[in-house]
């Protein structure tokens, strides 16, 4: 006979596995290769000097997506961003930073648990998400941010 406590743990694990599948397979968001589509760019950054240079040179709106390869939620959000990138407009720019490989960036930029999405306009931070957002929220917010 399985105890109620053990049953709750098993049920919780099962729900977590289902959520991971919904968010993007097993969901690892390893540092993505840079990609360009007709609707924008995703650029992987590495190291604090490269991140600082990208932020300092940004005039048009852009975001920096801080993630971990071990984070299923990060994988789901990244997968959605890649899928929806053409809808964000030709000037959309998304930088990604793997915080496991770039601990200097994590520490310098006050990045706690991931995913973290930081929105910039004219080189200044205007908003910060410190938690997972559902795909429809990410799509709607980024489309408005890049086109508005």
């Amino acid at each position: 006979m399985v105890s109620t406590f053990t049953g709750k743990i098993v049920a919780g694990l099962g729900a977590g596995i289902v959520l991971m599948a919904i968010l993007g397979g097993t969901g690892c968001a390893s540092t993505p290769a840079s990609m360009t589509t007709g609707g924008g760019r995703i650029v992987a950054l590495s190291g604090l000097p490269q991140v600082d240079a990208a932020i300092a040179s940004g005039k048009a709106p852009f975001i920096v997506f801080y993630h971990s390869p071990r984070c299923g939620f990060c994988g789901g959000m990244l997968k959605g961003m890649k899928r929806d990138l053409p809808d964000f407009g030709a000037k959309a720019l998304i930088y990604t930073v793997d915080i496991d490989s770039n601990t200097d960036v994590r520490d310098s930029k006050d990045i706690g648990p991931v995913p973290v999405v930081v929105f910039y306009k004219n080189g200044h931070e205007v908003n910060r998400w410190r938690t997972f957002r559902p795909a429809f929220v990410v799509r709607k917010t980024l489309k408005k941010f890049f086109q508005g």
Side-chain angles (χ1 to χ4, degrees):
M1 182 171 180
V2 176
S3 73
T4 304
F5 179 73
T6 304
K8 287 180 181 178
I9 290 174
V10 170
L13 289 172
I17 291 168
V18 169
L19 182 60
M20 295 286 281
I22 291 169
L23 292 176
T26 55
C28 289
S30 59
T31 303
S34 297
M35 65 178 275
T36 302
T37 70
R41 294 181 296 147
I42 294 179
V43 179
L45 300 177
S46 182
L48 187 57
Q50 194 176 38
V51 172
D52 283 341
I55 292 170
S57 66
K59 301 296 181 229
F62 64 93
I63 67 166
V64 181
F65 177 63
Y66 297 95
H67 64 90
S68 167
R70 300 173 290 118
C71 172
F73 293 113
C74 299
M77 286 181 71
L78 182 60
K79 185 176 180 179
M81 287 180 196
K82 285 180 178 180
R83 179 192 62 233
D84 297 331
L85 187 61
D87 297 335
F88 299 152
K91 295 183 180 178
L93 177 57
I94 299 171
Y95 292 115
T96 64
V97 181
D98 173 356
I99 64 158
D100 289 350
S101 299
N102 296 282
T103 56
D104 58 335
V105 176
R106 180 194 65 215
D107 297 341
S108 174
K109 301 298 180 193
D110 188 30
I111 305 303
V114 290
V116 173
V117 180
V118 183
F119 297 78
Y120 290 90
K121 286 189 178 181
N122 298 317
H124 299 287
E125 182 176 333
V126 295
N127 193 10
R128 181 179 289 231
W129 289 349
R130 288 189 172 271
T131 186
F132 168 78
R133 299 292 199 277
F136 75 93
V137 172
V138 174
R139 181 174 37 257
K140 181 179 174 183
T141 304
L142 294 187
K143 189 171 183 178
K144 183 178 179 181
F145 179 71
F146 287 122
Q147 294 177 353

